[in-house]
Amino acid sequence: MYEPDIEMMELSDIRKLQSERFVKMVRYAYDNVPMYKEKFEKAGITPDDIKGLEDAHKMPFTVKDDLRQHYPYGIRAVELDKIVRLHASSGTTGKPTVVTYTEQDMETWNNLMARCYASAGVTKGDIVQNCYGYGLFTGGLGFHYGAERLGATVIPISTGNTKKQLMMMKDMQSTVIACTPSYALYLAEAAEKEGYDPKKDFNIKVGMFGAEPWSEEARKRIEDSLGIKAYDVFGMSELYGPGVAVECQEQAGLHIWSDEFLVETIDPDTGEVLPEGERGELVFTMLTREAMPLLRYRTKDLAIINYDKCKCGRSHPRIMRIRGRSDDMLIIGGVNVFPSQIEHVLMNIEGVGDQYLIIVDRDVLDSLHVQVEVMPEFFNSPEYDPAAFAKKLETEMQAILTVRARVELMVPGALPRSEGKAVRVQDKRKNASK
Ligand code: DLL
């Protein structure tokens, strides 16, 4: 553990600390960020009404649009001369969302990232090949400074140039790899194509994967093909970046570092706080952030929080695997389908490759069309019968998703590979209405 005193705190002590920090943060945001003062006034409350965690529900939410409206420098509680870094999330439309950090915020974030590494068993003796993108995206620099903070060696290779990644992995004998899970799948495939035997040629033991939803089946494929243990890391640029939550060696949910983040689960339609253990939208409050306070920030990520103590000894509550975002949910002929459910069905079927693309369209009715690559060995084997295989995938998908999907089998290598966050869905209905 990197900070055992904090990581091993009992839940009751965590709650006490959260409560103190929360009350302080509410006042700090009210006093220093005009947007919060306005929000409080609109809601008819003042910081005096917030006496502890039990009053959290009285406060208004903060949403992504609040950040957009404060472009370029965001919701800021300090003068620019106290800001030492900024990052921005790309966003698919319009201006990016900018987030800022003071020196103190960087300290906090780097420590949280160091805790994440340690939680996955990484130590200062490790060599971290960091293939997250360096730049405005928080993945690259977040994983970089966290590894330095821990004292490990970092190879700041960033994304792309897959052949060079593989060469470095072999020559430097990297022991940890950090990238999106979709890129890890691609690296495994490319390694084989380039004639490497990952288990013999590489020395990778641990993967730190996040920035997009991924299924248990994808984890198994990555672990089997690279011969590593794959850990899930969650974060988002509005909440520093990566490092909000991470799996421990039990791999039974992602511990949210609750001395820094307060999490609530709400019903995404009504905004009501849900009882513990129910799936809903995660809402985060940052408890100590100086530059950009965030109170009750709606993430759109859907998950269940588990408050039971983990076998690893940590009481920090756990996010059980994130199913996806409420805005990723596809409504097909009235049925809700998450891309992650489709991945779950497909990757459980032997012979299905690692790449797929979901295409949703509307003619008279909504249609779901899934392009699925076939595993090369299966594709070239005499047992491969495309018509029968496509039918099998269609039947399995209908049984679980309850909607009909048309499967189009693709030659291995036909679909685009991703170096960062994978694009798995094309919703042509959205383009049509724009
Ligand atoms: O993706 C930060 C990050 C970098 C996290 C590297 C982990 C590793 P954003 O670009 O702002 O920040 O995207 C945040 O990505 O709201 C989730 O929907 C999704 N996401 C991030 N991590 C996970 C994960 C970074 N482990 C958005 N599982 C979030 C599922 C994830 N979804």
Side-chain angles (χ1 to χ4, degrees), residues 64 88-91 97 99 109 113 130 132-133 136-140 142-143 178-181 208-214 231-246 254 284 297-302 319 321-328 421:
K64 184 132 185 151
S89 73
S90 49
T97 315
V99 291
W109 184 23
M113 279 308 300
N130 184 12
Y132 283 111
L136 287 177
F137 176 54
T138 51
F143 275 88
C179 62
T180 57
M208 307 280 296
F209 304 124
E212 61 185 7
W214 51 308
Y231 291 88
D232 196 356
V233 190
F234 170 81
M236 90 181 50
S237 40
E238 296 92 312
L239 308 173
Y240 292 132
V244 174
V246 69
L254 291 76
F284 281 94
Y297 184 65
R298 289 189 63 161
T299 62
K300 298 204 171 162
D301 286 313
L302 301 172
I319 303 177
R321 194 173 275 282
I322 292 173
R323 171 183 261 188
R325 301 171 53 81
S326 54
D327 46 5
D328 284 346
K421 296 185 193 241

Coordinates of all heavy atoms in Angstrom, one line a residue, residues 64 88-91 97 99 109 113 130 132-133 136-140 142-143 178-181 208-214 231-246 254 284 297-302 319 321-328 421, ligand 1:
K64 N -22.1 18.6 -16.7 CA -21.0 19.0 -17.7 C -21.2 20.3 -18.3 O -20.3 21.1 -18.6 CB -21.0 17.9 -18.8 CG -19.9 18.0 -19.8 CD -19.1 16.7 -20.0 CE -18.0 16.9 -20.9 NZ -16.9 16.1 -20.6
A88 N -7.8 19.0 -20.8 CA -9.1 19.2 -21.4 C -9.6 17.9 -22.0 O -8.9 17.1 -22.5 CB -9.0 20.3 -22.5
S89 N -10.9 17.7 -21.9 CA -11.5 16.5 -22.5 C -12.0 16.9 -23.9 O -12.5 18.0 -24.1 CB -12.6 16.0 -21.6 OG -13.7 16.8 -21.7
S90 N -11.8 16.0 -24.8 CA -12.0 16.3 -26.2 C -13.5 16.7 -26.5 O -13.7 17.6 -27.1 CB -11.6 15.2 -27.1 OG -12.1 14.0 -26.6
G91 N -14.4 15.9 -26.0 CA -15.8 16.1 -26.2 C -16.1 16.0 -27.7 O -15.3 16.3 -28.6
T97 N -13.9 20.6 -22.5 CA -14.1 21.0 -21.1 C -12.7 21.1 -20.5 O -12.0 20.1 -20.5 CB -14.9 19.8 -20.4 OG1 -16.0 19.4 -21.2 CG2 -15.4 20.3 -19.1
V99 N -10.1 21.6 -17.4 CA -10.0 21.4 -16.0 C -8.6 21.9 -15.5 O -7.6 21.8 -16.3 CB -10.1 19.9 -15.5 CG1 -11.6 19.5 -15.7 CG2 -9.2 19.0 -16.3
W109 N -3.4 14.4 -6.7 CA -3.6 13.5 -7.8 C -2.4 12.5 -8.0 O -2.7 11.3 -8.1 CB -3.8 14.3 -9.1 CG -4.1 13.6 -10.3 CD1 -4.7 12.3 -10.4 CD2 -3.9 14.0 -11.7 NE1 -4.8 11.9 -11.7 CE2 -4.4 12.9 -12.5 CE3 -3.4 15.1 -12.3 CZ2 -4.3 13.0 -13.9 CZ3 -3.3 15.2 -13.7 CH2 -3.8 14.1 -14.5
M113 N -2.7 8.4 -7.8 CA -2.2 7.5 -8.8 C -1.2 6.5 -8.3 O -1.2 5.4 -8.6 CB -1.6 8.3 -10.0 CG -2.6 8.9 -11.0 SD -3.8 7.6 -11.6 CE -2.7 6.5 -12.4
N130 N 4.1 3.4 -20.4 CA 2.9 4.2 -20.4 C 2.4 4.5 -21.8 O 2.9 5.4 -22.4 CB 3.1 5.4 -19.6 CG 1.8 6.2 -19.4 OD1 0.8 5.7 -19.7 ND2 2.0 7.4 -18.9
Y132 N -0.7 5.4 -22.6 CA -1.8 6.4 -22.7 C -1.3 7.6 -23.4 O -0.1 7.9 -23.3 CB -2.3 6.7 -21.2 CG -3.2 5.7 -20.6 CD1 -2.7 5.0 -19.5 CD2 -4.4 5.4 -21.0 CE1 -3.5 4.0 -18.8 CE2 -5.2 4.4 -20.4 CZ -4.7 3.8 -19.3 OH -5.5 2.8 -18.7
G133 N -2.2 8.3 -24.0 CA -1.9 9.5 -24.8 C -1.4 10.6 -23.8 O -2.0 11.0 -22.9
L136 N -3.4 16.8 -23.7 CA -4.6 17.3 -23.0 C -5.4 16.2 -22.3 O -6.0 16.5 -21.3 CB -5.5 18.1 -24.0 CG -5.0 19.4 -24.5 CD1 -6.0 20.0 -25.5 CD2 -4.8 20.4 -23.3
F137 N -5.4 15.0 -22.9 CA -6.0 13.9 -22.2 C -5.2 13.6 -20.9 O -4.0 13.6 -20.9 CB -5.9 12.7 -23.2 CG -6.4 11.4 -22.6 CD1 -7.7 11.3 -22.0 CD2 -5.6 10.2 -22.6 CE1 -8.1 10.1 -21.5 CE2 -6.0 9.0 -22.1 CZ -7.3 8.9 -21.5
T138 N -6.0 13.3 -19.9 CA -5.3 13.1 -18.5 C -4.6 11.8 -18.3 O -3.9 11.6 -17.4 CB -6.4 13.2 -17.4 OG1 -7.5 12.3 -17.8 CG2 -7.0 14.6 -17.3
G139 N -4.9 10.8 -19.3 CA -4.3 9.5 -19.1 C -2.8 9.5 -19.0 O -2.2 8.9 -18.1
G140 N -2.2 10.1 -20.0 CA -0.7 10.0 -20.2 C 0.0 10.6 -18.9 O 0.7 9.9 -18.2
G142 N -1.2 11.6 -16.1 CA -1.7 11.0 -14.8 C -0.9 9.8 -14.5 O -0.4 9.6 -13.4
F143 N -0.8 8.9 -15.4 CA -0.1 7.6 -15.2 C 1.4 7.9 -15.1 O 2.1 7.1 -14.4 CB -0.4 6.6 -16.3 CG -1.6 5.8 -15.9 CD1 -2.9 6.2 -16.3 CD2 -1.6 4.6 -15.2 CE1 -4.0 5.5 -16.0 CE2 -2.7 3.9 -14.9 CZ -3.9 4.4 -15.3
A178 N 0.4 0.3 -19.2 CA -0.8 1.1 -18.9 C -1.3 1.6 -20.3 O -0.6 2.3 -21.0 CB -0.3 2.3 -18.1
C179 N -2.6 1.3 -20.5 CA -3.2 1.7 -21.8 C -4.7 1.4 -21.7 O -5.2 0.8 -20.7 CB -2.6 1.1 -23.0 SG -2.8 -0.7 -23.1
T180 N -5.5 1.7 -22.7 CA -6.9 1.3 -22.7 C -6.9 -0.2 -23.0 O -6.1 -0.7 -23.6 CB -7.6 2.1 -23.9 OG1 -7.0 1.8 -25.1 CG2 -7.7 3.6 -23.7
P181 N -8.0 -0.8 -22.5 CA -8.1 -2.3 -22.7 C -8.2 -2.6 -24.2 O -7.7 -3.7 -24.6 CB -9.4 -2.6 -21.9 CG -10.0 -1.4 -21.4 CD -9.0 -0.3 -21.5
M208 N -2.6 -1.9 -16.4 CA -3.4 -0.9 -15.7 C -4.3 -0.3 -16.8 O -3.9 0.5 -17.5 CB -2.6 0.2 -15.1 CG -1.5 -0.2 -14.1 SD -2.0 -0.7 -12.5 CE -2.7 0.9 -11.9
F209 N -5.6 -0.8 -16.8 CA -6.4 -0.5 -18.0 C -7.7 0.3 -17.6 O -8.3 -0.1 -16.6 CB -6.9 -1.8 -18.7 CG -5.7 -2.7 -19.1 CD1 -5.6 -4.0 -18.7 CD2 -4.7 -2.2 -19.9 CE1 -4.5 -4.8 -19.1 CE2 -3.6 -2.9 -20.3 CZ -3.5 -4.3 -19.9
G210 N -8.0 1.3 -18.4 CA -9.2 2.0 -18.1 C -9.5 3.0 -19.2 O -9.0 2.9 -20.3
A211 N -10.3 4.0 -18.9 CA -10.7 5.1 -19.8 C -11.9 4.7 -20.7 O -12.4 5.5 -21.4 CB -9.5 5.6 -20.6
E212 N -12.3 3.4 -20.6 CA -13.5 3.0 -21.4 C -14.0 1.7 -20.7 O -13.3 1.0 -20.0 CB -13.0 2.7 -22.8 CG -12.0 1.5 -22.9 CD -11.5 1.3 -24.3 OE1 -11.8 2.1 -25.3 OE2 -10.7 0.3 -24.5
P213 N -15.3 1.5 -21.0 CA -15.9 0.2 -20.4 C -15.3 -1.0 -21.0 O -15.0 -1.0 -22.2 CB -17.4 0.3 -20.7 CG -17.6 1.6 -21.4 CD -16.3 2.2 -21.7
W214 N -15.1 -2.1 -20.3 CA -14.6 -3.3 -20.8 C -15.2 -4.4 -20.0 O -15.5 -4.3 -18.8 CB -13.1 -3.4 -20.9 CG -12.3 -3.1 -19.6 CD1 -12.4 -1.9 -18.9 CD2 -11.3 -3.8 -19.0 NE1 -11.5 -1.9 -17.8 CE2 -10.8 -3.1 -17.9 CE3 -10.6 -5.0 -19.3 CZ2 -9.8 -3.5 -17.1 CZ3 -9.6 -5.5 -18.5 CH2 -9.2 -4.7 -17.4
Y231 N -5.7 -5.0 -14.4 CA -6.5 -4.3 -13.3 C -7.2 -3.1 -14.0 O -6.8 -2.5 -14.9 CB -5.5 -3.7 -12.3 CG -4.8 -4.8 -11.5 CD1 -3.7 -5.4 -11.9 CD2 -5.4 -5.1 -10.3 CE1 -3.1 -6.4 -11.1 CE2 -4.9 -6.1 -9.5 CZ -3.7 -6.8 -9.9 OH -3.2 -7.7 -9.1
D232 N -8.4 -2.9 -13.4 CA -9.3 -1.8 -13.9 C -9.1 -0.5 -13.1 O -9.1 -0.6 -11.9 CB -10.7 -2.3 -13.7 CG -11.8 -1.6 -14.5 OD1 -11.4 -0.6 -15.2 OD2 -13.0 -1.9 -14.5
V233 N -8.9 0.5 -13.9 CA -8.7 1.9 -13.2 C -9.8 2.8 -13.8 O -9.9 2.9 -15.0 CB -7.3 2.5 -13.6 CG1 -7.1 3.7 -12.8 CG2 -6.2 1.5 -13.5
F234 N -10.4 3.5 -12.9 CA -11.5 4.4 -13.3 C -11.1 5.9 -13.0 O -10.4 6.1 -12.0 CB -12.8 4.1 -12.6 CG -13.9 5.1 -12.8 CD1 -14.6 5.1 -13.9 CD2 -14.1 6.0 -11.8 CE1 -15.7 6.0 -14.1 CE2 -15.1 7.0 -12.0 CZ -15.9 7.0 -13.1
G235 N -11.5 6.7 -13.9 CA -11.4 8.2 -13.6 C -12.0 9.0 -14.7 O -12.5 8.4 -15.6
M236 N -12.0 10.3 -14.5 CA -12.4 11.2 -15.6 C -11.8 12.5 -15.4 O -11.4 12.9 -14.3 CB -14.0 11.2 -15.6 CG -14.6 12.3 -14.8 SD -16.4 12.1 -14.9 CE -16.6 10.4 -14.5
S237 N -11.6 13.2 -16.5 CA -10.9 14.4 -16.5 C -11.4 15.4 -15.5 O -10.7 16.1 -14.8 CB -10.7 15.1 -17.8 OG -11.9 15.0 -18.5
E238 N -12.7 15.5 -15.3 CA -13.3 16.5 -14.4 C -12.9 16.1 -12.9 O -12.9 17.0 -12.1 CB -14.9 16.4 -14.5 CG -15.4 16.9 -15.8 CD -15.6 15.7 -16.8 OE1 -14.7 14.9 -16.9 OE2 -16.7 15.6 -17.4
L239 N -12.6 14.9 -12.7 CA -12.2 14.4 -11.3 C -10.7 14.2 -11.3 O -10.3 13.1 -10.9 CB -12.9 13.2 -10.9 CG -14.5 13.2 -11.1 CD1 -15.0 11.8 -10.8 CD2 -15.1 14.2 -10.1
Y240 N -9.9 15.1 -11.7 CA -8.4 15.1 -11.8 C -8.0 14.3 -13.1 O -7.3 14.7 -13.9 CB -7.7 14.3 -10.6 CG -7.7 15.1 -9.3 CD1 -8.1 14.4 -8.2 CD2 -7.4 16.4 -9.2 CE1 -8.1 15.1 -6.9 CE2 -7.4 17.1 -8.0 CZ -7.7 16.4 -6.9 OH -7.7 17.0 -5.7
G241 N -8.6 13.1 -13.3 CA -8.2 12.2 -14.4 C -8.3 10.8 -13.9 O -9.2 10.5 -13.2
P242 N -7.4 9.9 -14.4 CA -7.4 8.5 -13.8 C -7.1 8.6 -12.3 O -6.5 9.6 -11.9 CB -6.3 7.8 -14.6 CG -5.4 8.9 -15.1 CD -6.2 10.1 -15.3
G243 N -7.4 7.5 -11.6 CA -7.0 7.5 -10.2 C -8.1 7.8 -9.2 O -7.9 7.9 -8.0
V244 N -9.3 7.8 -9.7 CA -10.5 8.0 -8.8 C -10.7 6.7 -8.1 O -11.0 6.6 -6.9 CB -11.7 8.4 -9.6 CG1 -12.9 8.5 -8.6 CG2 -11.5 9.8 -10.2
A245 N -10.6 5.6 -8.8 CA -10.9 4.2 -8.2 C -10.1 3.2 -9.0 O -9.8 3.4 -10.2 CB -12.4 3.9 -8.4
V246 N -9.8 2.1 -8.3 CA -8.9 1.1 -8.8 C -9.2 -0.2 -8.2 O -9.6 -0.3 -7.0 CB -7.4 1.5 -8.7 CG1 -7.0 1.4 -7.2 CG2 -6.5 0.6 -9.5
L254 N -13.8 -1.8 -7.8 CA -12.8 -0.7 -7.8 C -12.9 0.2 -6.6 O -14.0 0.8 -6.4 CB -12.9 0.2 -9.1 CG -12.5 -0.5 -10.4 CD1 -13.6 -1.4 -10.9 CD2 -12.3 0.6 -11.4
F284 N -20.3 12.5 -8.0 CA -19.1 12.7 -7.2 C -18.9 14.1 -6.6 O -19.2 15.1 -7.4 CB -17.8 12.4 -8.0 CG -17.5 11.0 -8.2 CD1 -18.0 10.3 -9.3 CD2 -16.8 10.3 -7.3 CE1 -17.7 9.0 -9.5 CE2 -16.5 8.9 -7.4 CZ -16.9 8.3 -8.6
Y297 N -21.2 16.3 -8.8 CA -21.0 16.2 -10.2 C -21.7 15.0 -10.8 O -21.3 13.9 -10.4 CB -19.6 16.3 -10.6 CG -19.3 16.4 -12.1 CD1 -19.8 17.5 -12.8 CD2 -18.7 15.4 -12.8 CE1 -19.6 17.6 -14.1 CE2 -18.6 15.5 -14.1 CZ -19.0 16.6 -14.8 OH -18.8 16.7 -16.2
R298 N -22.6 15.2 -11.7 CA -23.3 14.0 -12.4 C -22.4 13.5 -13.5 O -22.1 14.2 -14.4 CB -24.6 14.5 -13.0 CG -25.6 14.8 -11.9 CD -27.0 15.0 -12.4 NE -27.5 13.8 -13.1 CZ -28.7 13.6 -13.4 NH1 -29.6 14.4 -13.1 NH2 -29.1 12.5 -14.0
T299 N -22.0 12.2 -13.4 CA -21.0 11.6 -14.3 C -21.6 11.0 -15.5 O -21.0 10.7 -16.5 CB -20.1 10.6 -13.6 OG1 -21.0 9.5 -13.2 CG2 -19.4 11.2 -12.4
K300 N -22.9 10.5 -15.4 CA -23.6 9.7 -16.4 C -23.1 8.3 -16.4 O -23.6 7.5 -17.1 CB -23.5 10.3 -17.8 CG -24.1 11.7 -17.9 CD -24.5 12.0 -19.3 CE -25.3 13.3 -19.3 NZ -25.4 13.9 -20.6
D301 N -22.1 7.9 -15.6 CA -21.7 6.6 -15.5 C -22.6 5.8 -14.6 O -23.0 6.2 -13.5 CB -20.2 6.5 -14.9 CG -19.2 7.0 -15.9 OD1 -19.3 6.5 -17.1 OD2 -18.4 7.8 -15.6
L302 N -23.0 4.6 -15.1 CA -23.9 3.8 -14.3 C -23.2 2.6 -13.7 O -22.5 1.8 -14.3 CB -25.0 3.2 -15.3 CG -25.8 4.3 -16.0 CD1 -26.7 3.7 -17.1 CD2 -26.6 5.2 -15.1
I319 N -16.7 0.4 -6.6 CA -17.6 0.4 -7.8 C -17.5 -1.0 -8.4 O -16.5 -1.5 -8.7 CB -17.0 1.4 -8.9 CG1 -16.8 2.8 -8.3 CG2 -17.9 1.4 -10.1 CD1 -16.2 3.8 -9.4
R321 N -18.2 -3.3 -11.5 CA -17.8 -2.9 -12.9 C -18.8 -2.0 -13.5 O -20.0 -2.1 -13.4 CB -17.7 -4.2 -13.8 CG -17.1 -4.0 -15.1 CD -16.9 -5.2 -15.8 NE -15.6 -5.9 -15.4 CZ -14.4 -5.5 -15.9 NH1 -14.3 -4.5 -16.7 NH2 -13.4 -6.2 -15.5
I322 N -18.3 -1.0 -14.2 CA -19.1 0.1 -14.8 C -19.8 -0.5 -16.1 O -19.1 -1.0 -16.9 CB -18.3 1.3 -15.1 CG1 -17.9 1.9 -13.7 CG2 -19.0 2.3 -15.9 CD1 -16.9 3.0 -13.8
R323 N -21.1 -0.4 -16.1 CA -21.8 -1.0 -17.3 C -21.7 -0.1 -18.5 O -21.7 -0.5 -19.6 CB -23.2 -1.2 -16.9 CG -24.0 -1.6 -18.0 CD -25.5 -1.7 -17.7 NE -25.8 -3.1 -17.4 CZ -27.0 -3.5 -17.3 NH1 -28.0 -2.6 -17.2 NH2 -27.3 -4.7 -17.1
G324 N -21.5 1.2 -18.3 CA -21.5 2.1 -19.4 C -22.1 3.4 -18.9 O -22.4 3.6 -17.7
R325 N -22.2 4.4 -19.8 CA -22.8 5.7 -19.5 C -24.2 5.7 -19.9 O -24.6 5.1 -20.9 CB -22.0 6.8 -20.2 CG -20.5 6.8 -19.8 CD -19.7 7.7 -20.7 NE -20.3 9.0 -20.7 CZ -20.1 9.9 -19.7 NH1 -19.3 9.6 -18.8 NH2 -20.6 11.1 -19.8
S326 N -25.0 6.5 -19.2 CA -26.4 6.6 -19.6 C -26.5 7.1 -21.0 O -27.4 6.8 -21.7 CB -27.2 7.5 -18.6 OG -26.6 8.8 -18.5
D327 N -25.6 8.0 -21.4 CA -25.7 8.5 -22.8 C -25.1 7.5 -23.8 O -25.1 7.8 -25.0 CB -25.1 9.9 -23.0 CG -23.7 10.1 -22.3 OD1 -23.2 9.1 -21.8 OD2 -23.2 11.2 -22.3
D328 N -24.6 6.4 -23.4 CA -24.1 5.3 -24.4 C -25.2 4.3 -24.6 O -25.1 3.5 -25.5 CB -22.9 4.5 -23.8 CG -21.6 5.3 -23.8 OD1 -21.6 6.3 -24.5 OD2 -20.7 4.8 -23.2
K421 N -9.2 5.3 -26.8 CA -10.6 4.8 -26.5 C -11.2 4.3 -27.8 O -11.2 5.0 -28.8 CB -11.5 6.0 -26.0 CG -11.0 6.6 -24.7 CD -12.0 7.6 -24.2 CE -11.4 8.5 -23.1 NZ -12.2 8.4 -21.8
Ligands
DLL1 O1 -10.7 8.5 -19.4 C1 -9.4 9.2 -17.5 C2 -8.8 7.9 -17.4 C3 -7.6 7.8 -18.1 C4 -9.3 6.9 -16.7 C5 -6.9 6.6 -18.1 C6 -8.6 5.7 -16.6 C7 -7.4 5.5 -17.3 P1 -12.1 11.1 -19.7 O2 -11.5 11.1 -21.0 O3 -12.7 12.4 -19.1 O4 -11.1 10.6 -18.6 O5 -13.3 10.0 -19.7 C8 -14.0 9.7 -18.6 O6 -14.4 7.4 -19.4 O7 -16.9 9.0 -17.3 C9 -16.3 6.8 -18.1 O8 -17.4 6.8 -18.9 C10 -15.1 6.3 -18.9 N1 -14.2 5.5 -18.1 C11 -13.0 5.8 -17.5 N2 -12.5 4.8 -16.9 C12 -13.3 3.7 -17.0 C13 -13.3 2.4 -16.6 C14 -10.5 9.4 -18.6 N3 -12.3 1.9 -15.9 C15 -15.1 8.6 -18.9 N4 -14.4 1.6 -16.9 C16 -15.8 8.2 -17.7 C17 -15.4 2.1 -17.6 C18 -14.4 4.2 -17.8 N5 -15.5 3.4 -18.1

